[in-house]
Amino acid sequence: MADTGARATPAAIIAGVGVDLVAVDRWRRLVGGGIVRRWFDAVERDRCRAAPDPARAFAEVFAAKEAVFKALPLSGWTGAVPWRDIHIAPAGVRVDGALAAACAPAHVQVRVATTAGVAHAFAIAVSP
């Protein structure tokens, strides 16, 4: 057999999985409070407020943040969750700050769906 020069690449490894459920009605009561400023970055706030159903949008983004945090391959994290360091955008997930420094290198993907008034989020972290 001839050597084509192609080399096998190592398979990605699942580093973590996270799941979260959030009641949309709970976010209907929370949207006007300070929790939105503490837990969402400015881009997330603007995008959620512009959505046809802001409470549903905030619930979906929060469920995604929770699922991502649970999926991250963290080693010894003991602090509070830095919610604004987890950025959820239509194009993907970005983790910044101390949280990024505390987790092993990983690519995180998240999927969100809402049914019967509950936002469901599933995140998977994959290490190279």
Side-chain angles (χ1 to χ4, degrees), residues 68-105:
V68 166
F69 181 76
K70 292 172 183 176
L72 289 174
L74 295 170
S75 177
W77 184 268
T78 58
V81 179
W83 296 114
R84 286 182 291 168
D85 284 351
I86 302 171
H87 307 276
I88 306 297
V93 175
R94 188 180 83 245
V95 178
D96 292 330
L99 192 57
C103 67

Side-chain angles (χ1 to χ4, degrees), residues 32-84:
I35 198 168
V36 168
R37 186 168 285 288
R38 286 191 309 271
W39 288 359
F40 299 87
D41 67 35
V43 173
E44 291 167 335
R45 290 191 304 264
D46 291 346
R47 190 176 62 250
C48 289
R49 287 184 179 130
D53 184 349
R56 177 180 172 164
F58 278 110
E60 290 173 347
V61 172
F62 184 72
K65 286 177 179 266
E66 278 271 12
V68 166
F69 181 76
K70 292 172 183 176
L72 289 174
L74 295 170
S75 177
W77 184 268
T78 58
V81 179
W83 296 114
R84 286 182 291 168

Side-chain angles (χ1 to χ4, degrees), residues 17-33:
V17 173
V19 177
D20 199 59
L21 304 171
V22 174
V24 174
D25 282 344
R26 180 170 183 245
W27 278 95
R28 289 198 200 292
R29 295 186 301 272
L30 296 173
V31 167

